[in-house]
Amino acid sequence: MKKTTLGILLLLAINSVFAQGKHALHAFYFFNVTSPAGVVAAMDKFRASSCGSQMPADIGLMAETINGSASSTHFFIASYETMADFSKGQELVQSCADAATFLQEMSSAATPVTEYAIIPAIEVGDWTQDSVFMKYDIKVSDEGVFAAAWSELMDASVKNGSISDSYGLNRIFLGNSDASHFVYIGAQDFQSLVAQDTEVQESNDFARYLRKVGGVREILNTSLITPVMSWPK
């Protein structure tokens, strides 16, 4: 048993070195949006300001095209390369007038729903190049067991050609209420996303994955995510 546990930990350590993207932390801010154009205009103005231009984060606006019973329609994702960048960003938005103006303009276009921050456990491929995503909010009781089984499924799916774009496993560590993690799979278009999801779920590899994670993973929600706009730092 100890050897098995050590093996899983070693696998995760290897994944963290070779499979992660360039960001150390992503902060998610969910809204119920009544004016998408107003949200984009507010962020455009903020990023062009003296304060917003100093934000050490890549920012994206995503639409939750289908998201079950969740009341949010969109979310901002602010991606930081280091934890120090996150701290600097928080200091900026709490001290500059441009941030206060942004929040005021946002209030006329959207209503906040929830927010959380995640640490990428596994990040493969460049998700910024994909046009649509499946996102699975999950509750995991044993991250090591789940991550090893999910990585095995993804590796097999890449090898057989079912998966060809980005995918990842993210650990929610701030602001979480129900989910402990989420996984995502990206694609170039919706048709490709549906085709690869069908291929994966009909495979023997997926059946083996289900047997391994059945006791440690619960799916809370599945959503379809579409990128709307991005503001690289």
Side-chain angles (χ1 to χ4, degrees):
M1 183 66 173
K2 288 182 178 180
K3 289 183 178 179
T4 301
T5 302
L6 288 172
I8 291 172
L9 291 174
L10 179 59
L11 171 65
L12 293 176
I14 292 172
N15 278 338
S16 70
V17 173
F18 294 104
Q20 282 191 17
K22 67 177 184 177
H23 297 113
L25 181 147
H26 302 283
F28 289 73
Y29 304 91
F30 293 81
F31 298 86
N32 186 310
V33 174
T34 54
S35 172
V39 170
V40 171
M43 182 58 78
D44 278 343
K45 181 178 178 180
F46 175 65
R47 288 296 268 185
S49 69
S50 59
C51 175
S53 62
Q54 298 179 60
M55 276 292 292
D58 298 310
I59 297 176
L61 175 63
M62 303 287 193
E64 297 179 275
T65 308
I66 297 176
N67 68 347
S69 61
S71 61
S72 56
T73 61
H74 295 72
F75 62 83
F76 280 122
I77 173 173
S79 303
Y80 299 87
E81 292 185 15
T82 67
M83 297 300 179
D85 283 344
F86 176 75
S87 297
K88 179 182 177 182
Q90 298 311 296
E91 292 172 2
L92 278 172
V93 298
Q94 292 172 19
S95 62
C96 72
D98 296 318
T101 300
F102 166 72
L103 293 176
Q104 183 177 15
E105 293 177 351
M106 277 289 295
S107 68
S108 64
T111 303
V113 174
T114 190
E115 60 190 45
Y116 57 68
I118 66 95
I119 294 176
I122 299 170
E123 207 170 76
V124 176
D126 186 355
W127 60 268
T128 66
Q129 300 304 306
D130 289 333
S131 299
V132 64
F133 302 87
M134 290 280 282
K135 177 174 173 281
Y136 303 84
D137 298 320
I138 55 178
K139 182 182 293 186
V140 172
S141 59
D142 190 323
E143 183 182 276
V145 170
F146 176 81
W150 192 75
S151 294
E152 184 180 312
L153 172 64
M154 291 295 99
D155 288 345
S157 299
V158 169
K159 187 175 181 179
N160 66 29
S162 299
I163 299 291
S164 57
D165 295 288
S166 68
Y167 60 88
L169 165 64
N170 292 316
R171 178 190 310 112
I172 301 172
F173 81 110
L174 289 175
N176 175 45
S177 56
D178 295 315
S180 63
H181 298 72
F182 72 81
V183 298
Y184 67 88
I185 299 175
Q188 295 300 303
D189 53 62
F190 181 65
Q191 293 87 344
S192 300
L193 185 68
V194 172
Q196 69 183 22
D197 181 67
T198 301
E199 278 190 48
V200 170
Q201 295 205 35
E202 291 179 349
S203 68
N204 292 330
D205 296 306
F206 187 73
R208 282 191 291 271
Y209 158 79
L210 287 180
R211 289 194 294 270
K212 292 178 180 179
V213 305
V216 301
R217 183 269 295 156
E218 176 187 356
I219 297 177
L220 302 179
N221 192 38
T222 305
S223 53
L224 178 67
I225 307 299
T226 307
V228 176
M229 187 75 69
S230 63
W231 295 266
K233 68 176 184 178

